[in-house]
Amino acid sequence: MAAYDAVKIQHLLTRGADKNLTTKARGDALEDLFCYLLDELPGVRTRRNSIDFFKSAEIDIAVVNGKAAQWLCAFPYLFLIECKNWDKPVDSATVGAFKNKLDNRSIELGVIVATNGITGDEYERKSAHHIIDMAQAANRRILVITLEQLKAIRTTEEFESLLVDRLLTLAATGGSF
């Protein structure tokens, strides 16, 4: 178990919450934080801000999983991450657009890092929750991780546990929380 740099994490959290910064700068801070957490895991490599050939879609973070750590065996070799540092929950249209990115690339797993979660009721499977529920029928899994969950992370083991818990919850219940 390796400890993360608490000062670095706090700096990125502070940058991400700074309303004096542009929306892009705040979003970049969230991407920086999630990349930092991922890049400290064994066998994981990330690539940021990839734009497709037609300049019609951007991928915030692409991840290759070398499966060096035992827990990573539950995750596919490739997965994509969308970071949304919004003041409001991420809506169903945005979740649907991310699902389309997964579909267009035949990527099984996506992670939405949403500062304030997603729209709808998780128990009634409404709004964005419905999109995630329906994605599973198309062999796509979309995990949702909130800023509150990230704030609690201190070690690589805790981060791995969060990711596995989100995956198990989604697989077992069909829901994102």
Side-chain angles (χ1 to χ4, degrees):
M1 168 176 60
Y4 286 113
D5 181 341
V7 173
K8 182 172 186 163
I9 289 175
Q10 188 55 51
H11 170 73
L12 292 169
L13 289 169
T14 301
R15 243 181 60 213
D18 186 349
K19 301 292 185 190
N20 293 318
L21 296 176
T22 64
T23 303
K24 175 159 178 19
R26 290 177 32 227
D28 287 348
L30 184 60
E31 287 179 29
D32 290 344
L33 172 60
F34 210 74
C35 275
Y36 170 64
L37 296 174
L38 284 168
D39 288 337
E40 294 298 308
L41 301 177
V44 172
R45 290 191 56 196
T46 59
R47 174 173 290 165
R48 300 260 317 262
N49 302 318
S50 299
I51 299 175
D52 69 3
F53 177 78
F54 299 103
K55 300 190 184 315
S56 63
E58 178 188 15
I59 301 299
D60 290 344
I61 305 169
V63 181
V64 66
N65 169 16
K67 300 191 181 198
Q70 184 176 4
W71 75 272
L72 288 169
C73 292
F75 281 73
Y77 286 107
L78 297 170
F79 57 98
L80 303 179
I81 298 168
E82 183 81 13
C83 294
K84 296 296 182 192
N85 193 354
W86 294 359
D87 293 332
K88 59 183 178 162
V90 174
D91 59 32
S92 57
T94 303
V95 174
F98 184 56
K99 182 200 171 288
N100 288 341
K101 290 177 185 180
L102 298 173
D103 290 343
N104 293 340
R105 291 160 179 79
S106 296
I107 301 290
E108 174 187 344
L109 176 69
V111 179
I112 296 177
V113 183
T115 302
N116 288 295
I118 60 175
T119 59
D121 183 295
E122 65 181 290
Y123 299 106
E124 293 181 9
R125 305 277 209 263
K126 303 250 176 164
S127 300
H129 291 276
H130 178 68
I131 303 294
I132 289 172
D133 196 35
M134 297 304 293
Q136 287 215 97
N139 198 33
R140 302 287 180 257
R141 288 193 169 82
I142 301 173
L143 309 181
V144 177
I145 296 178
T146 66
L147 188 61
E148 287 306 310
Q149 291 167 324
L150 293 179
K151 285 180 179 179
I153 301 298
R154 301 289 176 260
T155 66
T156 54
E157 184 177 70
E158 290 173 352
F159 186 52
E160 292 168 359
S161 180
L162 172 65
L163 293 173
V164 169
D165 179 65
R166 298 293 74 210
L167 184 62
L168 288 173
T169 299
L170 183 64
T173 69
S176 56
F177 289 98

